[in-house]
Amino acid sequence: QRELILQSLKNRVDHPTAEMLYTDLKNQMPEIGIATVYRNLSDLCEMGEIIKLKSQLVLDGYVMKKMTVDMEC
């Protein structure tokens, strides 16, 4: 499940929320739950694979760590 979540995030060009990823993944893996998506996103953040983007205006989004390095250049 974690690999599927990571791949889904890699394939996006926006900064999706957990709910957006869940909606995408639900089509590929109907048995996945929203709690699983949140848990795996949290784990991926702790592992340094992704970064959680916080905003006061919208829900938190996620982005691949490599993408943030590329954007800084």
Side-chain angles (χ1 to χ4, degrees):
Q1 292 172 332
R2 184 173 295 152
E3 285 300 317
L4 187 60
I5 291 169
L6 195 56
Q7 191 60 43
S8 179
L9 190 57
K10 284 180 183 179
N11 291 336
R12 297 186 70 117
V13 295
D14 59 351
H15 304 138
T17 64
E19 289 81 6
M20 292 166 72
L21 288 169
Y22 169 72
T23 299
D24 290 347
L25 295 167
K26 193 75 172 158
N27 294 326
Q28 300 171 43
M29 185 181 286
E31 68 278 4
I32 197 166
I34 188 72
T36 300
V37 175
Y38 273 103
R39 184 175 51 255
N40 279 284
L41 289 170
S42 178
D43 291 346
L44 289 165
C45 282
E46 288 180 18
M47 294 166 45
E49 295 288 324
I50 65 172
I51 296 173
K52 184 177 186 178
L53 303 175
K54 296 186 179 205
S55 172
Q56 294 179 349
L57 302 176
V58 295
L59 295 173
D60 296 341
Y62 295 86
V63 64
M64 296 296 301
K65 189 171 185 177
K66 182 181 179 334
M67 289 178 67
T68 60
V69 173
D70 293 343
M71 289 188 291
E72 292 174 0
C73 297

